[in-house]
Structures are given as structure tokens and as C-alpha cells.
Amino acid sequence: MVRLYAHGVAVQEQGCSAFGCVPSLVENMKIDFAPIDVPLQRRLQTATVLQWVYSFLGLAPTCIFLFFYLLFTRYWLISVLYFVWWFIDYDTPGRGGRRVPLLCGLKLWGYMRDYFPIKLVKTADLDPRHNYVFGFHPHGVLVAGAFANFCTYATGFRQLFPGLTSYMLMLPLWFRAPFFRDYIMCAGLIPSNKESASYPLSQMGVGNAVVIAVGGAPEALDAHPGSYNVMLAKRKGFIKMAMENGAHLVPVFSFGENEVFDQVENPRGTWLRWLQERLQSIMGISLPLFHARGIFQYSFGLMPYRKSINTVVGRPIRVERNVKPTAEELDALHQQYMDDLSTLFEEHKGNYGVDKDTHLIFV
């Protein structure tokens, strides 16, 4: 017996043989298609997020392929001239990058903001006469909240924190991709090595905020809905950088960051987690097996769910410049940072649907 359903296909086979009754092969393969009359605004939101997901996952390989492909066509001069430009411009990412305000302020980023939606929440004023290190938690799968809040103007960073300019850190690997490096620099992204991260804090005056997804690529492997594991217990490099440059520390927690994608279960100790961590140690990037919804249907795909992300910027921790901090001084400030992050989480979790018995777990 076979049954067909309007929104998908459910196959049900029943019968008996020498081996007994054959169970149904597929009890319910149901695809939830998007309705035809979706408003134009929502379609524009989906299209904007689609290009953002592609930029994050596929644009760099595409640019690398294009660079080498052009060398074997009559347009080879484009790649040659770009290579000359690349050689001249090689140090720019490590010297604050090259933000293009026009790109950061494009209307399309407002569509991305409204897709989830994403909101930036301020809890205290930040004096633009100082520099800051923002610790962003959790990383999530694709750091959607960090990008929307600190690489675009869509959520009002400039209005909430007048006089501050944000610089978000990204793996240095991506700044070696031709064409792609220029695109990400336009959004205020800079390499995450120590020299590049310190440059806005030491060489560009005041009013600069360096944004660090502290958990980095390894934390993406813990980005499961309902998970509040924060990879911070042994991460002290950003604390030391703040001390060496006299930059105030600001804890940031993004509620909902882990909710926009599902991920294949990969507990520590399983073969999958071992393989993911091994590949991460070799390549520098993590490979979470994530999924969510599609473009024209809601059942599967790599598009994030429409779930709200609320990024709460905490109160600053005053840091005095200390070029050579002792281990005790570093540990003390690190502990204060963890305490303040935990307090920030506890104060705001009730506003965003987190159970009162849920607490941050530092790993």
C-alpha cells in the first residue's frame, strides 16, 4: 500500500514474506514548502541571507578559482594586474584594513537584520576616548550576530556607541584569497593574528573596538540549540592584548546565536568530534555538520532558521596599560572577565527565553 500526501511523499509498504512482514521503508518524508504568496519583503530578506551564507561558505573558493581560471583565458591580464595590486597592498589587512562605509550601510543589510531578526542591546555607555576589546560569545556556526552588528550599520552600532569604530577579527587564512580579501576588508574585517588585532589599539588613536569571537572555530563545534558552552576557561590571549594596549574589556553575549542552525550530534569523545577537531587543528577552520531550512521549503537546507538573535553589550571592565603583565595579574583579569560575562548572561537570560536554571558552562 502506497500513500501520497499533498505536501510531500509518505511511503508505506506492508506485506508478508518468508521473513515476516516488511516494515514501512519511509514512514513520513514530509517537505514543508513555502507558500506561493510570501510577501516581497520576506523574499528580499531570504535573498540577502542567501548571498551572505554563500559569501561565508563559497565565495572564497570561487574567487580563488576565478583568479587562476582567468590566467588561461584572454582576460589573463586581470589576474596579472590583480597580483601586482595584491603585492603592493599586501600589508593593508594587518594595518586596520580598508572599511568602505558605503558597503556597510547598504540597505540590503537591513533585510538581513529583519530576517532573523537581529538586535543590538546596549547596557552602558562606552567613552570614545578609550579603545576597547569586545569579547563576543558564543561563536555560533556562522557568527551571524557578530557580522550584522559589527560589520554593518544595520543594527545601529554607530548610533548606540557614537565615536566608536568596530573591527572584527577573522582567520588570517581568508585574507590570502584573491579578490575575497578586498571584499571582507570593506566590511571592517581584519586578520586575527596578534599584530593585526593590536594595530587599531596601538596605532590608530582612540575610539576603536576590536571584536573577537573568543571561542573561535573550535567553539562552532558546540553550537547546538540550547547549548551554552563557552570556550573561555583557557583563552587568555585577548586579555593579555587588552592589558598590553590599555584597552578596556567589554563582554558581549549573543542570545539566540546557537539557535539558528541545527548540527549533527558530535559529543566530545565520539569519532565524529575527533575527526572534526583533527581537521580543525590541521586546516585552522572547523567543519560543523550543520543544517536548517531551504530557500523555498522549510524542511532542510543550509539557510538559517528565522529565530531572533539579541546581542547584549555589557559594561566595560577598566584596564590599565601593562606591557608585561605577570601571570597572576593576567589570571585575575581573566577571572573578572568570566565573572562579568556570567553576570551579564544571568541578568538578561530571562528576557530571551532562557530557563532560570540554565547557566553558562566555561570549557
Side-chain angles (χ1 to χ4, degrees):
M1 178 175 65
V2 179
R3 295 178 181 173
L4 300 180
Y5 293 93
H7 295 288
V9 180
V11 182
Q12 191 174 31
E13 297 183 1
Q14 293 179 348
C16 295
S17 66
F19 300 98
C21 292
V22 180
S24 61
L25 297 177
V26 181
E27 293 184 355
N28 188 10
M29 289 177 55
K30 190 173 182 180
I31 301 176
D32 186 13
F33 287 101
I36 297 176
D37 58 346
V38 173
L40 177 61
Q41 286 290 104
R42 290 178 69 88
R43 292 193 183 279
L44 291 173
Q45 293 166 11
T46 301
T48 301
V49 173
L50 174 63
Q51 68 81 26
W52 171 74
V53 171
Y54 169 71
S55 297
F56 201 101
L57 299 178
L59 186 56
T62 302
C63 289
I64 294 171
F65 172 80
L66 179 63
F67 177 81
F68 287 104
Y69 172 75
L70 290 175
L71 288 173
F72 299 96
T73 69
R74 59 181 176 177
Y75 303 107
W76 59 270
L77 187 59
I78 294 176
S79 291
V80 172
L81 291 176
Y82 182 82
F83 181 79
V84 174
W85 160 252
W86 192 0
F87 180 79
I88 296 171
D89 194 56
Y90 187 80
D91 293 332
T92 298
R95 295 178 178 174
R98 185 170 47 245
R99 181 190 299 272
V100 177
L102 179 63
L103 178 67
C104 298
L106 288 177
K107 185 178 180 180
L108 67 87
W109 301 125
Y111 293 126
M112 178 179 176
R113 173 199 63 209
D114 296 338
Y115 174 93
F116 294 93
I118 298 173
K119 183 179 180 181
L120 185 63
V121 180
K122 171 183 175 180
T123 63
D125 291 331
L126 298 180
D127 190 340
R129 293 174 297 178
H130 299 289
N131 286 328
Y132 299 89
V133 174
F134 284 27
F136 182 88
H137 313 270
H139 182 283
V141 173
L142 298 184
V143 285
F147 178 85
N149 287 308
F150 304 117
C151 295
T152 79
Y153 300 152
T155 60
F157 179 85
R158 294 184 302 172
Q159 289 74 33
L160 291 173
F161 304 104
L164 288 189
T165 302
S166 58
Y167 298 86
M168 186 173 166
L169 303 190
M170 192 174 188
L171 287 174
L173 168 70
W174 301 121
F175 292 88
R176 302 187 186 112
F179 306 122
F180 184 70
R181 68 187 286 275
D182 300 275
Y183 174 68
I184 56 180
M185 277 196 292
C186 288
L189 288 154
I190 60 176
S192 58
N193 57 63
K194 183 179 179 181
E195 294 74 19
S196 301
S198 297
Y199 192 88
L201 305 176
S202 60
Q203 304 295 325
M204 297 178 65
V206 295
N208 301 303
V210 172
V211 183
I212 306 174
V214 178
E219 193 175 73
L221 299 177
D222 281 331
H224 297 273
S227 171
Y228 294 96
N229 292 345
V230 176
M231 195 165 286
L232 179 60
K234 297 180 181 179
R235 304 233 162 187
K236 302 178 183 178
F238 74 106
I239 302 288
K240 186 176 182 181
M241 182 178 72
M243 297 179 76
E244 290 174 342
N245 292 281
H248 298 343
L249 285 162
V250 180
V252 179
F253 195 88
S254 194
F255 292 90
E257 197 75 39
N258 285 344
E259 309 300 318
V260 297
F261 289 103
D262 291 319
Q263 187 176 167
V264 174
E265 291 298 323
N266 59 342
R268 286 178 172 79
T270 61
W271 69 269
L272 176 59
R273 185 58 172 259
W274 176 87
L275 179 61
Q276 289 175 319
E277 291 176 343
R278 181 66 175 169
L279 290 173
Q280 192 273 322
S281 66
I282 295 172
M283 301 186 299
I285 57 175
S286 62
L287 298 172
L289 300 179
F290 65 93
H291 57 93
R293 51 158 288 186
I295 303 170
F296 302 110
Q297 45 75 29
Y298 306 134
S299 300
F300 56 87
L302 298 180
M303 289 286 289
Y305 295 122
R306 286 179 176 267
K307 294 187 177 181
S308 61
I309 297 175
N310 295 279
T311 304
V312 184
V313 180
R315 292 177 288 273
I317 302 170
R318 184 174 181 81
V319 178
E320 298 294 339
R321 189 167 185 266
N322 186 348
V323 179
K324 293 183 178 180
T326 64
E328 292 76 15
E329 292 170 332
L330 184 62
D331 289 343
L333 186 56
H334 180 254
Q335 185 61 54
Q336 183 182 351
Y337 179 88
M338 288 199 298
D339 292 342
D340 281 23
L341 178 62
S342 183
T343 299
L344 180 71
F345 177 81
E346 296 295 331
E347 288 178 348
H348 294 272
K349 66 181 182 181
N351 298 331
Y352 306 113
V354 180
D355 189 83
K356 64 178 182 179
D357 296 323
T358 299
H359 308 287
L360 287 185
I361 300 175
F362 294 117
V363 294

